Structure formats: C-alpha cells, structure tokens
Amino acid sequence: MSFDERRFRDALGQFPTGVAIITALTPAGDKLGMTVSSFNSLSLDPPLILFSIYCKALSFAAWQKVDHYAVNILSEDQQDLSNRFARAKGEKWDGIESVSGKTGVPILPDAVVTFECEAFGRHDGGDHEIFVGKVIALHENKRQRGQSLVFFGGQYRQLRAHGAHNVPKDSNLQGWSSDWEGLG
Ligand SMILES: Cc1cc2nc3c(=O)[nH]c(=O)nc-3n(C[C@H](O)[C@H](O)[C@H](O)COP(=O)(O)O)c2cc1C
C-alpha cells in the first residue's frame, strides 16, 4: 500500500455526504441509535438503501439482531444530535423525543426524512459490515426539506442557497436529474 490510514481517511473526506442517525428497537425493547455518514441509495425496485457499521462498535452485535430499523436524515440544526449519537454507548436517548414508526422503530420527528426499513441483507465490508435495508415507509418532514446537514473534510457544513445547478436533461440520467428548485 502506498498510503497510510490518515491519508486514506483524508482522501475519503473529500467526498461530501449527508449525516443520518440509524435507530432501532432491540428484541428486549431498548432503543439503539448511531450516527452514520455511510448511508446511500442502492435500488429503486425493490427500494433498497445501505449503510455500514464498524465491526468494533459497541452496539455492533445489537444491530446485527434487529429486523427493522430507521434511517433519519439530519437537518443542519441537528449537529448536537449527530454528536450525541456518535458517542460510544452513553445515554444517547436521554431526553430525546421519538415517535413510533409503522413497525415500532423509534423515529426522530425533526429529521428531514426518515426511511423506515426491514433488514434485507448484511455483507462483508472489511472492518465494517454493510447493512442493506428494504424501505417500507417514508416519513417526510416538508418543513426541513433542503436543509440537510452535510459532512465534508471531517466537518459539518451547510448547503449554500443559490448554489444549485440543474443536471442536464438526458435520457441516460433517468431519475438522477430533478426539477426541484428548493435551494433557489
Ligand atoms: C459524522 C459522523 C459519521 C459517522 N459515520 C459512521 C458510519 O458510517 N459507520 C460507523 O460505524 N460509525 C460511524 N460514525 C461513528 C459512530 O457514530 C460512533 O462510533 C458511535 O459511537 C457508535 O455507537 P456505539 O458506540 O453505541 O456502538 C460516525 C460518526 C460521525 C460523527
């Protein structure tokens, strides 16, 4: 390998992502929650998403056992929540309001959008495991649309208004371009 881990991490940090908190209920009824930036879309039909969890995370074994979970996409005013759910164990849920999704998973009501999923598959991802979820319900918070929190270069960032440009209309881009002008 011609690079060390620090350089690899820095290079990866050049790819901006959003920030999500994955939430679930253990079979014993305890709430799980973890901040992730590894969320991504996977398939439209069937509707699949993915994220990855570090195998040495304290809650890793608990995540492997849940049948359902939710992916809550954070807004730019939820940085404190992101930090709280990135702390190892701790009292992540103390004083945090949640509502129950269709399947009983705890959902963060102020998230931009929440993907409620049933566990679809888990795959080897080196020191992480890739979790694939089948989306069974969407919980949209129209008030927060366009205000998603961004993570880039190891820092939280905000989307800039007037920084949006349309993707050209082209048949090869089916579905990737959008007429949405939410950011102006
Ligand atoms: C912005 C951000 C993104 C993160 N993304 C991930 C991720 O994709 N996968 C992961 O395993 N940990 C990720 N983490 C770290 C976990 O949130 C952190 O290790 C957490 O303490 C794990 O929970 P646990 O200790 O209760 O298992 C991220 C942390 C931050 C601040």
Side-chain angles (χ1 to χ4, degrees), residues 34-38 52-54 57-59 86-89 92:
M34 186 194 292
T35 302
V36 298
S37 55
S38 53
S52 61
I53 300 184
Y54 185 43
L58 294 175
S59 59
R87 262 180 240 130
K89 287 259 164 142
K92 294 179 176 185

Side-chain angles (χ1 to χ4, degrees), residues 38-172:
S38 53
F39 169 76
N40 217 324
S41 52
L42 179 59
S43 161
L44 291 178
D45 187 15
L48 303 178
I49 58 84
L50 63 81
F51 55 84
S52 61
I53 300 184
Y54 185 43
C55 301
K56 290 183 185 159
L58 294 175
S59 59
F60 178 66
W63 282 104
Q64 290 183 304
K65 291 191 193 92
V66 295
D67 294 334
H68 295 91
Y69 42 75
V71 181
N72 304 268
I73 307 299
L74 299 192
S75 71
E76 57 191 28
D77 51 16
Q78 292 182 308
Q79 290 181 27
D80 290 348
L81 208 57
S82 171
N83 293 335
R84 172 192 273 253
F85 280 90
R87 262 180 240 130
K89 287 259 164 142
E91 301 307 314
K92 294 179 176 185
W93 285 97
D94 268 9
I96 299 296
E97 191 197 334
S98 69
V99 295
S100 210
K102 273 188 171 190
T103 60
V105 294
I107 283 175
L108 301 172
D110 294 326
V112 179
V113 62
T114 298
F115 300 92
E116 188 173 350
C117 304
E118 67 185 28
F120 186 81
R122 287 188 283 112
H123 304 274
D124 182 15
D127 60 9
H128 282 58
E129 191 163 84
I130 303 161
F131 286 66
V132 176
K134 182 172 178 186
V135 180
I136 53 168
L138 287 177
H139 305 268
E140 294 153 294
N141 197 338
K142 299 238 158 58
R143 228 170 1 105
Q144 303 283 25
R145 194 169 165 156
Q147 308 294 325
S148 299
L149 181 60
V150 174
F151 191 60
F152 174 68
Q155 294 179 320
Y156 296 119
R157 309 271 184 138
Q158 292 180 2
L159 288 166
R160 189 160 47 94
H162 311 298
H165 301 277
N166 286 333
V167 172
K169 295 262 178 289
D170 184 302
S171 57
N172 288 331

